[in-house]
Amino acid sequence: ARSERGTVRREAASRRASRVRAAKRAARVETRVETRARDAARRERPARRRARRSRAMGAPTMDDAACAARMRCLYETWRAERDGAFGGASALVVGTGANKEDDLRYLKAVALEVWLFSYELPDTLLMFTERGMHVVAGGKKAALMENAREVLKEECGLDLAVHVKPKGEDGAAQAAAVVEAIKSENLVVGMVMKEKNEGAMMQYVTKALGEAGMEIKDVTSGVSLAMAAKDEKELGFVNKAVTLTSKALGFAVKEMEATIEDEKKLTHAKLSEMTEDAIIDPSRLGLKFPPEDVDICYPPIFQSGGEYDLKYSAESANTKLHYASPPAVVHMSVGARYTQYCANVGRTYMVDPTPAQEATYAAILAAQEAGIAALVDGATCASVYEAVKSSLTSAEGVDGATLASKLNKNVGTAMGLEFRDMTFVLNGKCETKIKAGMLFNLAVGVQGLKEPSAKEGSKNETYAVMIADSVLVGAAGETPSVLTTNPKGVKEISYIMNDDDDDDDDDGATADENDDDERAREDAVGERPGDAREPR
């Protein structure tokens, strides 16, 4: 009888082991399928971006009133800053090459085209002079510019010459006509220096002027000054970009809360993809925005588990969201565009924060609020940075000097048709003056922070805090308006875990590895009951 019972137990153990192995094999197959699907979706994103762009460009139209008002603004700024931000230039030459929608690129020439003509003009050359404009373009872009002839003459007193580029040609012959006009009038040419070789026609003009010994001035700051203040129509687009951005962050926060509540496995990369998909399909966020009008400013950034990079070029890693061994810190940055106008928000969330972490967060939040208060008409960009740094240095209950030493080199930039306009960078050196109607991404980031109570080498030992908002500069004497209103108080970003279970040592492993183990455990012993968690 004992022998028979032993045989039954061995057979039962063998069956359980077989089920575990089968579960692991199934998990690996499913993971491979998910990985292939994720990679395919990533490859499809550029094509979807091209489709959105082509739909947006399908029927070129121009807002005549906005074009006239903004053209006057450009010329007024040019006259006022001719010997300053425009470097003495008597002609402005900007242009773009063929579309490269595969990349998230920000070109000042594209921003200027959209700002003036409500339309992106790829493979186009523009030259502005005191008396008028020269345009080299083909197809419907040339037709669009022809439609601008009357409004430019009647409203701005500018003559327009459109040089039509035949289909299939590189525009060299037409660009040569522009170069001859420059030489004949002995014009001093200004370009956006980082874009002087952007496209075949810009390369041709730059080379021809160099061979003629003509100096090219940098007018990057001048063009930024002209586009800095947002008019009423632009603010309408900005407000929609803000709504999309704030809703997208709310979506990501809900996914994080569900992950914590249900003890699920979710990687930073997966959360980034889910949030990007929600942005480019606004109906998922309950918004009735045309999909062709929206895009991301950058792939959404999610970080936790001791590895933080507060640059907007950072990527979300394929490691699990770290929350199971508190105190845990999760950083989120989300930026979205509506008709190419940008908005941004950044938040830091904490799971069972220590008193020291709460005090640190409160000090950084106060510093951001000090920066917002300093973002007023007539102030310099450097004064905003100094307000943030001074607030950190004098913060009570924390080592303010250490916090200030770990502050990022800048606390944001101006935004609009570009995500980062570096003419208005909020650092300790930029003396450019802020103007009413400007939009800023005010982002206070402090990284390399240490949690004294954490074990040495653990994922809780090092953390970072970033708080970012889209802020509109008010008129003279008015306070700035914070457009992104996602909660950011200490208690609003903190979560309490109602269990004292041992730390999950697997938190830094890849999702593929942990999914195998998780599926095997669930197959062998059934699903685990989830411990309740609640936001503070």
Side-chain angles (χ1 to χ4, degrees):
R2 284 195 297 271
S3 176
E4 289 177 358
R5 286 196 295 272
T7 300
V8 170
R9 284 197 296 270
R10 286 193 294 272
E11 289 175 351
S14 178
R15 287 194 296 271
R16 285 196 298 272
S18 296
R19 287 198 298 271
V20 168
R21 287 194 296 271
K24 288 184 176 181
R25 284 195 298 271
R28 285 194 291 270
V29 170
E30 185 173 343
T31 298
R32 285 195 293 270
V33 171
E34 290 176 350
T35 300
R36 284 196 293 269
R38 188 165 55 243
D39 291 343
R42 189 179 294 114
R43 287 192 298 271
E44 289 173 0
R45 281 188 171 83
R48 287 153 63 185
R49 189 172 291 119
R50 281 195 295 273
R52 291 198 305 276
R53 188 73 58 85
S54 63
R55 287 196 297 271
M57 294 173 62
T61 57
M62 185 177 65
D63 185 330
D64 290 351
C67 176
R70 294 169 191 175
M71 190 68 76
R72 287 193 295 268
C73 179
L74 173 63
Y75 273 81
E76 288 168 4
T77 306
W78 187 4
R79 295 185 189 105
E81 292 285 340
R82 181 182 296 277
D83 296 324
F86 286 88
S90 56
L92 312 180
V93 178
V94 297
T96 54
N99 259 336
K100 296 181 180 179
E101 297 92 342
D102 290 19
D103 302 321
L104 279 170
R105 305 177 71 220
Y106 294 93
L107 298 177
K108 201 165 290 293
V110 171
L112 185 63
E113 291 166 358
V114 174
W115 185 61
L116 290 174
F117 307 115
S118 310
Y119 190 74
E120 184 176 334
L121 305 171
D123 203 20
T124 299
L125 182 72
L126 305 176
M127 182 173 77
F128 303 83
T129 68
E130 293 181 2
R131 296 192 299 272
M133 282 185 64
H134 287 264
V135 178
V136 180
K140 58 187 178 183
K141 293 167 289 186
L144 175 71
M145 297 309 300
E146 284 287 359
N147 293 336
R149 186 185 300 278
E150 184 176 346
V151 69
L152 291 178
K153 185 63 176 178
E154 293 183 358
E155 300 292 334
C156 306
L158 299 173
D159 294 319
L160 174 64
V162 178
H163 308 268
V164 179
K165 181 175 76 69
K167 186 175 181 179
E169 295 187 12
D170 63 2
Q174 292 73 35
V178 174
V179 173
E180 286 306 312
I182 293 171
K183 292 179 178 178
S184 64
E185 298 182 39
N186 197 28
L187 299 174
V188 179
V189 175
M191 295 182 179
V192 177
M193 292 302 282
K194 289 185 178 180
E195 301 173 16
K196 66 179 183 179
N197 290 311
E198 188 67 36
M201 289 186 288
M202 284 296 289
Q203 291 173 17
Y204 178 90
V205 174
T206 299
K207 182 180 179 181
L209 296 180
E211 291 173 347
M214 302 181 72
E215 183 183 3
I216 298 175
K217 304 292 186 179
D218 188 2
V219 298
T220 304
S221 296
V223 175
S224 291
L225 287 172
M227 296 191 293
K230 306 296 180 282
D231 60 33
E232 186 175 350
K233 183 176 182 180
E234 289 181 285
L235 290 178
F237 295 147
V238 166
N239 285 329
K240 289 186 177 180
V242 166
T243 299
L244 180 60
T245 301
S246 296
K247 290 273 190 180
L249 180 67
F251 167 87
V253 170
K254 287 182 180 178
E255 290 296 328
M256 176 188 70
E257 291 175 344
T259 299
I260 295 174
E261 177 71 24
D262 299 335
E263 292 188 327
K264 295 190 296 187
K265 311 287 184 177
L266 179 64
T267 68
H268 305 97
K270 181 62 176 177
L271 183 56
S272 177
E273 291 168 8
M274 293 166 63
T275 306
E276 179 176 340
D277 288 341
I279 291 172
I280 63 179
D281 183 3
S283 63
R284 297 187 185 188
L285 303 174
L287 298 173
K288 296 181 179 180
F289 293 168
E292 62 269 21
D293 287 343
V294 305
D295 205 346
I296 57 172
C297 293
Y298 53 87
I301 300 170
F302 301 97
Q303 300 170 338
S304 66
E307 297 183 4
Y308 304 91
D309 180 356
L310 301 184
K311 297 176 183 177
Y312 289 108
S313 58
E315 294 185 358
S316 300
N318 192 36
T319 51
K320 287 194 308 176
L321 191 69
H322 174 73
Y323 63 85
S325 51
V329 176
V330 180
H331 162 61
M332 299 185 176
S333 283
V334 177
R337 308 173 81 182
Y338 186 86
T339 61
Q340 300 200 43
Y341 282 86
C342 300
N344 190 68
V345 66
R347 292 290 183 265
T348 301
Y349 299 94
M350 297 182 171
V351 180
D352 276 351
T354 65
Q357 286 178 328
E358 289 184 328
T360 295
Y361 181 90
I364 295 171
L365 178 59
Q368 196 225 16
E369 291 172 346
I372 292 171
L375 203 61
V376 295
D377 180 59
T380 64
C381 291
S383 68
V384 178
Y385 182 84
E386 290 304 322
V388 172
K389 191 171 183 178
S390 176
S391 177
L392 282 177
T393 302
S394 60
E396 297 181 358
V398 294
D399 186 347
T402 298
L403 289 183
S405 70
K406 296 180 182 295
L407 177 66
N408 280 358
K409 293 182 179 179
N410 72 69
V411 294
T413 58
M415 280 193 306
L417 289 164
E418 297 175 275
F419 176 57
R420 288 180 291 183
D421 189 337
M422 299 306 288
T423 298
F424 299 92
V425 57
L426 304 176
N427 63 18
K429 298 179 180 179
C430 182
E431 294 298 326
T432 308
K433 288 192 175 181
I434 295 164
K435 299 165 62 176
M438 291 185 67
L439 178 70
F440 278 85
N441 171 37
L442 203 154
V444 177
V446 181
Q447 50 191 333
L449 299 169
K450 299 292 184 181
E451 169 49 45
S453 67
K455 296 178 181 178
E456 185 176 352
S458 69
K459 300 183 190 307
N460 308 323
E461 183 182 18
T462 303
Y463 68 101
V465 174
M466 164 78 91
I467 309 171
D469 283 293
S470 299
V471 183
L472 182 67
V473 180
E478 295 183 1
T479 58
S481 299
V482 180
L483 304 183
T484 41
T485 57
N486 303 72
K488 58 181 177 179
V490 176
K491 293 186 177 181
E492 294 170 310
I493 57 87
S494 299
Y495 294 83
I496 295 299
M497 297 179 66
N498 291 336
D499 64 89
D500 296 316
D501 291 348
D502 293 335
D503 292 355
D504 182 356
D505 295 330
D506 291 341
D507 253 357
T510 64
D512 296 355
E513 296 168 347
N514 287 306
D515 282 347
D516 286 351
D517 296 338
E518 180 71 9
R519 292 174 189 277
R521 286 196 299 270
E522 290 179 358
D523 185 77
V525 300
E527 294 186 2
R528 296 170 297 140
D531 294 310
R533 291 173 171 80
E534 58 183 10
R536 176 173 291 173

